[in-house]
Amino acid sequence: MMRSLFSGITGLKSLQSNMDVIGNNISNVNTTGFKAGRMTFQESLNQTMSGATRPGGLGMGTGGTNPLQIGLGANVASVDTQYSQGNLERTGQTTDLAIQGNAFFVVGAGDETFYTRNGAFSLDSNGHLVMPGNGLILQGFNADDDGNIPVTAVRDDITIPFNTSAPARATTTVDFARNLDSDSAAEGTITHTSRFLAPTDGSVRATAASAPDGRSLEIQSGDRLTFSATHATSGLPVSTTFLVTDTTTMDDIAAAIETFAQTTAGSGASIAFDNGGTGRLQTTVAGNSLRNLSVSSNRPISSSRVAAAFFFPTTVANGQTSYSGTFLRPAVATDLLSNVFSASGQPLGRDPVTGVEKGLQNGDEINFAGAIGGVTTSATSLVYNSASTTMQDLITAMRNQLHL
């Protein structure tokens, strides 16, 4: 009788503990960053009244018996913290932060480090983001004056300096909106063709350059390009970085790669865009071999394109010359059609390297036809001449035909 009462008591005590956990969850329903707890139960050890027996021997005619065990109640197995993602809420406080996914804020006090999901921070008099309840300071990697995080940065207290101003920066884009008069008549629409491209001579800004396949290199101001190679004599891997600015040209990048190859990598390589109008990067080695040279970017969307465009053979030995593919730029009105490429990097006229006509041939007629106001215009043509027909000629012919 007493044993049954004790078993019931253990169940009540375990359920009481579970109610404590549930009550704590409810009381912290408005606690920022709180993670709920969950209790699990387990059976207490059983009391064995009699043990199991094995079957009788040959001729005995009896089987085995199970043990006789009586349970002694229930115990608390564990109280688990559930780290599932909570709902993000807009608080209107600019210093309130939240983490989506599996991570923690790092906060510290002196040499002590703590981790929390509570992102309710405020600014103190020194410009630190702190937890108001205990004064712990949010830590991370501070950016430089240009908003970039240096590769040598170490974890430190995050500081937002007061009474400082950012340098003036010219406006590059303006968003403008207004209501249109409902009685206004539609005047037409604007449409664009695919891009026309032409070989670059190296003076084009890196931010406007395209790879040989016609895709933009996606290089932006502030990107850091990494040059890597194997040292010509020691065989050790070496690398350096190059910062892209608004005025960086493709020649600047080629010159930086050459400096790296000659000084850091110990090679006798000369690297520059050739002057034949092919848009290719020419590498000539006179001295120690150039080995395993590669270029990458710190931005993932750009890195693979940059690496593929700035391709170098595994080894360029003494006395050898290698070429990259044709780097491209946006075509302009004065470009000859024979030097123009499609958006996918295919020449409309001749190949700039071999001089072979791969697209348009001398004497070909470029026809134009369209409908203006529902009336189809008669087709006219522009006779192509590889030595004289320019993009402007193509534009003018289209305008004349379509009355633009």
Side-chain angles (χ1 to χ4, degrees):
M1 182 65 180
M2 295 300 296
R3 185 165 49 210
S4 64
L5 293 176
F6 287 144
S7 296
I9 290 173
T10 62
L12 290 174
K13 292 181 64 177
S14 299
L15 288 173
Q16 179 183 354
S17 298
N18 188 37
M19 291 296 293
D20 293 340
V21 173
I22 294 173
N24 184 59
N25 292 341
I26 295 174
S27 66
N28 283 282
V29 68
N30 291 318
T31 300
T32 305
F34 175 74
K35 296 302 178 185
R38 180 193 66 177
M39 177 174 287
T40 59
F41 300 91
Q42 66 180 6
E43 183 183 9
S44 295
L45 291 176
N46 295 323
Q47 180 178 1
T48 301
M49 306 301 292
S50 63
T53 62
R54 66 179 182 177
L58 183 62
M60 295 295 293
T62 61
T65 62
N66 293 327
L68 178 59
Q69 294 178 320
I70 298 177
L72 298 180
N75 283 330
V76 175
S78 66
V79 179
D80 306 318
T81 302
Q82 296 179 292
Y83 285 95
S84 58
Q85 173 70 51
N87 295 325
L88 300 183
E89 296 182 0
R90 186 181 298 275
T91 65
Q93 181 74 18
T94 56
T95 56
D96 284 347
L97 306 176
I99 295 177
Q100 187 166 5
N102 299 325
F104 290 90
F105 293 109
V106 179
V107 293
D111 295 333
E112 294 184 297
T113 300
F114 305 91
Y115 301 92
T116 180
R117 294 279 292 190
N118 184 355
F121 297 104
S122 61
L123 286 170
D124 67 5
S125 59
N126 294 323
H128 294 141
L129 283 172
V130 301
M131 301 183 70
N134 49 35
L136 295 177
I137 300 174
L138 180 64
Q139 295 184 339
F141 299 97
N142 286 293
D144 58 22
D145 293 338
D146 296 324
N148 301 313
I149 298 178
V151 295
T152 57
V154 296
R155 195 185 74 201
D156 198 2
D157 295 343
I158 291 181
T159 303
I160 302 176
F162 290 116
N163 301 321
T164 58
S165 59
R169 181 176 299 176
T171 301
T172 57
T173 58
V174 175
D175 293 330
F176 177 77
R178 69 174 189 177
N179 292 327
L180 294 176
D181 188 344
S182 60
D183 295 330
S184 299
E187 295 184 356
T189 58
I190 298 175
T191 186
H192 299 274
T193 68
S194 299
R195 295 193 308 164
F196 289 94
L197 304 169
T200 180
D201 59 2
S203 64
V204 172
R205 292 186 180 182
T207 53
S210 296
D213 61 3
R215 296 192 305 169
S216 171
L217 290 177
E218 296 290 350
I219 295 176
Q220 296 182 7
S221 176
D223 286 356
R224 290 187 179 274
L225 304 182
T226 298
F227 309 145
S228 304
T230 300
H231 194 277
T233 56
S234 69
L236 297 176
V238 292
S239 63
T240 191
T241 59
F242 174 80
L243 177 64
V244 178
T245 67
D246 289 333
T247 59
T248 299
T249 65
M250 294 296 287
D251 277 335
D252 293 334
I253 295 179
I257 298 175
E258 180 182 78
T259 300
F260 166 74
Q262 293 179 354
T263 58
T264 308
S267 170
S270 298
I271 301 173
F273 283 90
D274 69 15
N275 55 10
T278 64
R280 298 185 301 170
L281 197 61
Q282 176 178 316
T283 304
T284 302
V285 174
N288 292 330
S289 298
L290 179 63
R291 299 166 56 193
N292 299 320
L293 178 61
S294 64
V295 182
S296 61
S297 172
N298 65 324
R299 286 195 316 111
I301 191 174
S302 175
S303 186
S304 60
R305 299 187 183 186
V306 168
F310 287 93
F311 172 78
F312 298 88
T314 302
T315 301
V316 183
N318 180 29
Q320 290 185 340
T321 298
S322 69
Y323 294 91
S324 70
T326 300
F327 285 89
L328 302 172
R329 58 166 173 82
V332 295
T334 56
D335 283 323
L336 291 172
L337 278 184
S338 57
N339 294 333
V340 172
F341 286 68
S342 70
S344 60
Q346 299 300 315
L348 299 185
R350 60 172 174 260
D351 187 303
V353 177
T354 63
V356 175
E357 297 289 350
K358 288 193 170 183
L360 294 168
Q361 306 285 327
N362 278 325
D364 284 352
E365 293 184 355
I366 303 175
N367 297 314
F368 308 95
I372 305 297
V375 179
T376 301
T377 62
S378 58
T380 60
S381 62
L382 171 68
V383 178
Y384 169 76
N385 186 307
S386 62
S388 61
T389 304
T390 64
M391 284 291 296
Q392 184 60 60
D393 295 331
L394 179 67
I395 295 170
T396 301
M398 292 180 66
R399 285 177 175 173
N400 291 340
Q401 174 62 24
L402 302 176
H403 309 290
L404 300 176

